[in-house]
Amino acid sequence: MPRGMPEVIATKQKFYRVANFPNVIGLIDGSHIPIAAPSLNEDIYVNRKNFHSLNIQAVCDANQIFLDFCNRYPGSTHDSFVWHNCRLYRRFQAGEFGGAHLLGDSGYPLEENLMTPIMQPGNRNQVNYNNSHKRTRVIVEQTFGLWKSRFRCLHKSGGNLCYTPQKCGKIVSATMLLHNYCVRRRIPLIGEDHGDEDPNNEDDPDDPDPQHEGIRNVPAARAKRQRIVQDYF
């Protein structure tokens, strides 16, 4: 994640140039990585698409670089649970990033440090907010597509990772670091390029988690989102 005010400002400016969404320092999403059925606790690895997976949370920047990831949760885990139990969430709660926020899809709760779409926009300003949010957040989907295209073992079309969940998590981490290396050095993909959105996307948003509906409706978060709508859209 950005360190120090100069990096934070530079990151916000890059995101703002995408679609005029203010104060963004990262895009968050989850992606399911297919694995072989584990011998222990097999059922908790079955996701809502009915295959065994790890639910990988990642945050990326405007240049499709992974800034942060969490790789230890099984496929049945809801995206919002992963978020509320990761180290990055605690860093935001401690105020490390000031008033900056992430952008997430509707599977995440609306929070002061995580802006989500407006589910039923009621005016042109809210529609503009949603459009800007979508145009900015799509970068994380494109990043997942590029990552899985470069490392086909991470995609269902390449089968699944036939190792323990712990080793699969290490493979995921290694490929993310290698992805960043390739993007920074502009190393091209070999063969077919699916660097836009994942052509066989298994990562559509989770339904909102009822356990976190209370967090979703925190008045301060709703007020912050409304200020963004009024001041920028």
Side-chain angles (χ1 to χ4, degrees), residues 24 100 127 132 140 172 205:
V24 179
V127 171
S132 176
V140 70
V172 167

Side-chain angles (χ1 to χ4, degrees), residues 5 16 23 25-27 58 93 104 133 137 164-165 174 178 180 200 213 217-219 221 226:
M5 191 53 63
Y16 189 78
N23 292 323
I25 62 166
L27 311 173
Q93 293 298 102
H133 187 286
R137 202 196 66 81
T164 65
L178 289 169
N180 286 355
N200 298 298
E213 281 299 303
N217 293 311
V218 168
Q226 185 57 32

Side-chain angles (χ1 to χ4, degrees), residues 27 29-33 54-60 64-72 140 143-148 150-151 153-154 168-185 203:
L27 311 173
D29 204 359
S31 184
H32 287 276
I33 303 303
L54 293 178
N55 187 3
I56 305 300
Q57 175 184 281
V59 174
C60 77
Q64 299 186 321
I65 295 289
F66 288 120
L67 303 177
D68 185 89
F69 60 85
C70 182
N71 65 359
R72 67 178 184 270
V140 70
T143 302
F144 279 142
L146 179 62
W147 173 50
K148 291 184 177 183
R150 199 180 293 276
F151 301 99
C153 62
L154 304 175
C168 292
K170 292 180 180 180
I171 292 171
V172 167
S173 302
T175 59
M176 284 182 157
L177 296 174
L178 289 169
H179 164 89
N180 286 355
Y181 180 94
C182 292
V183 172
R184 288 188 175 114
R185 287 157 182 79
D203 301 323

Side-chain angles (χ1 to χ4, degrees), residues 41-62:
N41 300 315
E42 175 268 341
D43 57 314
I44 66 173
Y45 290 90
V46 179
N47 62 34
R48 59 196 176 88
K49 296 294 183 70
N50 205 33
F51 65 90
H52 297 86
S53 69
L54 293 178
N55 187 3
I56 305 300
Q57 175 184 281
V59 174
C60 77
D61 68 10

Side-chain angles (χ1 to χ4, degrees), residues 2 9 12-13 34 118 120 142 153 156 159 162 166 171 181 185 208 222 229:
I9 292 174
K12 289 180 179 181
Q13 290 174 339
I118 297 171
Q120 295 181 326
Q142 294 169 345
C153 62
K156 279 195 72 176
C162 298
Q166 292 74 23
I171 292 171
Y181 180 94
R185 287 157 182 79
R222 294 172 67 88
V229 171

Side-chain angles (χ1 to χ4, degrees), residues 2-218:
R3 297 180 180 180
M5 191 53 63
E7 282 193 23
V8 169
I9 292 174
T11 301
K12 289 180 179 181
Q13 290 174 339
K14 287 181 180 179
F15 276 121
Y16 189 78
R17 287 195 289 267
V18 174
N20 300 329
F21 206 107
N23 292 323
V24 179
I25 62 166
L27 311 173
I28 187 170
D29 204 359
S31 184
H32 287 276
I33 303 303
I35 65 172
S39 56
L40 296 176
N41 300 315
E42 175 268 341
D43 57 314
I44 66 173
Y45 290 90
V46 179
N47 62 34
R48 59 196 176 88
K49 296 294 183 70
N50 205 33
F51 65 90
H52 297 86
S53 69
L54 293 178
N55 187 3
I56 305 300
Q57 175 184 281
V59 174
C60 77
D61 68 10
N63 297 322
Q64 299 186 321
I65 295 289
F66 288 120
L67 303 177
D68 185 89
F69 60 85
C70 182
N71 65 359
R72 67 178 184 270
Y73 287 100
S76 64
T77 310
H78 196 282
D79 287 348
S80 62
F81 181 89
V82 179
W83 164 237
H84 287 124
N85 289 275
C86 72
R87 182 171 177 268
L88 182 61
Y89 176 77
R90 296 191 292 273
R91 293 173 66 187
F92 270 100
Q93 293 298 102
E96 184 174 336
F97 305 106
H101 44 252
L102 304 173
L103 298 188
D105 62 29
S106 57
Y108 290 95
L110 172 65
E111 299 174 5
E112 288 187 83
N113 50 30
L114 204 171
M115 292 290 105
T116 60
I118 297 171
M119 298 306 293
Q120 295 181 326
N123 55 52
R124 172 54 56 184
N125 300 74
Q126 292 181 348
V127 171
N128 291 342
Y129 166 95
N130 275 359
N131 288 339
S132 176
H133 187 286
K134 181 178 180 179
R135 287 171 56 198
T136 306
R137 202 196 66 81
V138 73
I139 294 172
V140 70
E141 297 177 359
Q142 294 169 345
T143 302
F144 279 142
L146 179 62
W147 173 50
K148 291 184 177 183
S149 292
R150 199 180 293 276
F151 301 99
R152 299 304 292 183
C153 62
L154 304 175
H155 195 278
K156 279 195 72 176
S157 64
N160 55 39
L161 296 177
C162 298
Y163 305 97
T164 65
Q166 292 74 23
K167 187 168 185 177
C168 292
K170 292 180 180 180
I171 292 171
V172 167
S173 302
T175 59
M176 284 182 157
L177 296 174
L178 289 169
H179 164 89
N180 286 355
Y181 180 94
C182 292
V183 172
R184 288 188 175 114
R185 287 157 182 79
R186 300 183 180 181
I187 297 174
L189 285 173
I190 298 174
E192 189 174 5
D193 184 357
H194 293 304
D196 293 328
E197 296 178 61
D198 191 337
N200 298 298
N201 183 27
E202 304 117 12
D203 301 323
D204 50 312
D206 276 349
D207 293 329
D209 187 346
Q211 293 182 351
H212 297 293
E213 281 299 303
I215 297 175
R216 178 179 291 273
N217 293 311
V218 168

